Amino acid sequence: MRVITGIYKGRHFDIPRTFKARPTTDFAKENIFNVLNGYIDFEGALALDLFAGTGSITLEMLSRGCRQVVSIEADRDHYAFIKQCLKKINDTNGVVIRGDVFKFVKSSRQQFDLIFADPPYTLPELPTIPDLIFENQLLAPEGIFVFEHGKQYDFSQHPNFKEHRRYGSVNFSLFCNI
């Protein structure tokens, strides 16, 4: 896993072979972040990484200048790996919470400029996630929500849907406050 650009550009982190999480491919990550450059100024943004997995997206957001990135990950080993990566780069702007994403979304009173969610594609609750983000007002007024999902899902009828991007087998739906 590597950081594409920013202050940590080119840094590599070896993911343990025992991990179940699949990091977003470098190709897809680079392209979606290029798209995001048109929507958000990363410098000083408050970001949320749901289903943080390996921490690849967290590291990318921090590298691009987010003032804080809150990462939510339920798996104990993945949580520890993300903490270890943040320690290696000596970045104190990353906050890693080990916990259930759904409980966090329902209880958080904080709003974020950028929210990135990459749930397991087989997660039964996956289709409910965009509604939960907006019902719980997690997205700041000018914010953007990036949702990575499998090709079987179509969120284009969601009232907050902005656009869909596909890079190989990776699909992203982007949402914003209307």
Side-chain angles (χ1 to χ4, degrees):
M1 166 178 85
R2 74 178 173 98
V3 179
I4 305 293
T5 199
I7 60 174
Y8 305 124
K9 179 180 179 176
R11 293 290 301 262
H12 286 267
F13 300 89
D14 294 324
I15 300 168
R17 294 178 191 263
T18 57
F19 274 23
K20 300 174 290 250
R22 40 139 190 82
T24 302
T25 65
D26 284 351
F27 174 74
K29 182 168 63 170
E30 183 172 9
N31 280 287
I32 197 62
F33 273 90
N34 286 340
V35 169
L36 289 174
N37 282 330
Y39 284 104
I40 189 166
D41 180 8
F42 289 96
E43 198 67 39
L46 181 59
L48 176 63
D49 185 4
L50 299 173
F51 306 95
T54 62
S56 173
I57 299 300
T58 294
L59 294 168
E60 196 67 44
M61 291 190 289
L62 287 168
S63 184
R64 291 168 185 257
C66 288
R67 72 177 148 100
Q68 185 180 56
V69 179
V70 177
S71 306
I72 312 299
E73 176 54 48
D75 184 276
R76 176 181 43 99
D77 294 334
H78 295 189
Y79 162 83
F81 180 76
I82 297 167
K83 298 241 344 154
Q84 179 185 41
C85 290
L86 292 173
K87 188 175 181 179
K88 280 183 184 174
I89 61 172
N90 197 28
D91 195 310
T92 58
N93 295 322
V95 176
V96 188
I97 298 171
R98 183 172 171 227
D100 179 86
V101 164
F102 296 98
K103 288 180 182 174
F104 178 85
V105 166
K106 290 174 183 173
S107 66
S108 178
R109 296 296 161 242
Q110 195 168 17
Q111 286 193 320
F112 298 89
D113 303 305
L114 172 60
I115 300 174
F116 197 103
D118 179 11
Y121 288 2
T122 59
L123 186 72
E125 301 92 345
L126 186 145
T128 68
I129 294 171
D131 285 337
L132 288 172
I133 295 298
F134 291 100
E135 287 167 5
N136 290 284
Q137 301 177 7
L138 260 64
L139 193 63
E142 301 294 318
I144 189 87
F145 168 43
V146 181
F147 190 40
E148 186 174 336
H149 56 83
K151 65 181 178 183
Q152 69 272 34
Y153 296 102
D154 177 6
F155 295 98
S156 62
Q157 299 306 308
H158 191 281
N160 297 90
F161 178 82
K162 184 76 174 166
E163 69 175 288
H164 175 262
R165 296 289 178 124
R166 182 173 161 258
Y167 305 106
S169 63
V170 182
N171 289 268
F172 296 100
S173 288
L174 281 69
F175 302 83
C176 61
N177 278 320
I178 298 172

